[in-house]
Amino acid sequence: MIEPGLYLIATPIGNLDDITIRAINILKNSNLVLCENTNNSKKLLKKYGIIAKLDKYTDHDFVRKSEKIKNLINDKKIVSLISDSGSPLISDPGNQLINFLFNKGLKIVSIPGPSALILGIQLSGFLNNKNYVFLGFLPKKKDQKIKKLKDQLNNNLIAYTTKQQVMKDILAVAEISSEYQIVILKELTKIHEERIIINKNN
């Protein structure tokens, strides 16, 4: 028996086989699945024979859709929130909605699973005793990028990036540090997964 509420469901970050039985069960029983991109999410649902109503949800949709979502849960419906890949709310939309529903006393359940953040820590290979700090996506402007990096330079830093920003992110690290090791992880969980190391020592 699945109780009414909002379910935060982790989805594969690449390999579609990386999904839990529990996640599939809840998606199959969802009255509504909120997602960043309906076309991307349809591929996952199709693979597992899941027939569910999809609705696009980003932080820009909060004002327009939050009451509808609240009313569905109050009407004993099951609503799921998924991101394009990985665990919801890790650099993905949803924080406003979660706090809104918590304040209304509604049930919210996290269904754990894949996370690029966890894979990044596991595959970094760092052997020091420094703390790990997750920066999400770095700002696009160079001065803001450098400021964010400088504030945490004494820690092991984990950041998400894009192919358009990765070289700029590397150059920002190089500009503010005379010694560093950067591990770039590409195509995680896919056939062409790759680990690239960039070192600079005094």
Side-chain angles (χ1 to χ4, degrees):
M1 183 68 181
I2 302 173
E3 296 183 47
L6 178 71
Y7 289 79
L8 312 176
I9 300 180
T11 56
I13 61 175
N15 190 320
L16 292 184
D17 288 339
D18 293 332
I19 189 167
T20 67
I21 294 171
R22 187 180 178 204
I24 292 171
N25 184 44
I26 293 184
L27 286 170
K28 283 184 175 180
N29 286 279
S30 293
N31 300 102
L32 178 66
V33 177
L34 304 171
C35 55
E36 292 180 82
N37 185 308
T38 56
N39 289 329
N40 287 344
S41 297
K42 282 177 183 176
K43 297 173 187 175
L44 176 66
L45 300 190
K46 182 179 179 181
K47 177 177 173 66
Y48 290 100
I50 298 169
I51 300 172
K53 182 180 179 182
L54 290 171
D55 190 17
K56 182 175 178 290
Y57 181 84
T58 69
D59 285 334
H60 300 293
D61 298 311
F62 172 74
V63 173
R64 187 164 53 89
K65 296 184 178 180
S66 55
E67 285 292 330
K68 173 190 172 184
I69 295 166
K70 179 198 75 173
N71 291 338
L72 281 171
I73 297 172
N74 280 329
D75 288 339
K76 310 300 182 187
K77 304 298 184 184
I78 297 165
V79 180
S80 293
L81 174 67
I82 61 178
S83 61
D84 278 348
S85 63
S87 297
L89 279 75
I90 310 299
S91 290
D92 293 316
N95 288 306
Q96 285 180 291
L97 179 63
I98 301 309
N99 282 292
F100 171 74
L101 296 177
F102 269 134
N103 289 332
K104 299 297 180 182
L106 297 178
K107 187 178 186 69
I108 301 174
V109 180
S110 175
I111 309 300
S115 169
L117 169 59
I118 301 302
L119 267 72
I121 294 173
Q122 292 172 329
L123 298 177
S124 69
F126 294 147
L127 296 174
N128 57 54
N129 293 319
K130 295 180 180 179
N131 293 325
Y132 287 96
V133 174
F134 177 54
L135 300 177
F137 287 96
L138 294 174
K140 291 184 178 179
K141 292 185 177 179
K142 181 180 176 181
D143 57 338
Q144 295 176 0
K145 198 186 296 281
I146 286 175
K147 181 181 185 306
K148 192 166 186 178
L149 287 167
K150 272 186 175 178
D151 289 344
Q152 298 290 345
L153 203 54
N154 292 321
N155 296 302
N156 291 316
L157 306 181
I158 301 165
Y160 291 164
T161 190
T162 63
K163 61 182 178 181
Q164 293 83 10
Q165 289 294 317
V166 63
M167 187 52 65
K168 296 176 183 178
D169 292 345
I170 293 169
L171 291 173
V173 172
E175 186 166 325
I176 61 175
S177 180
S178 59
E179 186 174 348
Y180 59 81
Q181 181 182 75
I182 297 173
V183 178
I184 301 171
L185 300 168
K186 296 174 57 182
E187 301 291 315
L188 287 171
T189 75
K190 297 180 183 178
I191 294 174
H192 301 293
E193 180 175 310
E194 188 176 2
R195 183 175 186 268
I196 302 166
I197 301 176
I198 302 172
N199 279 304
K200 181 181 178 183
N201 299 305
N202 280 330

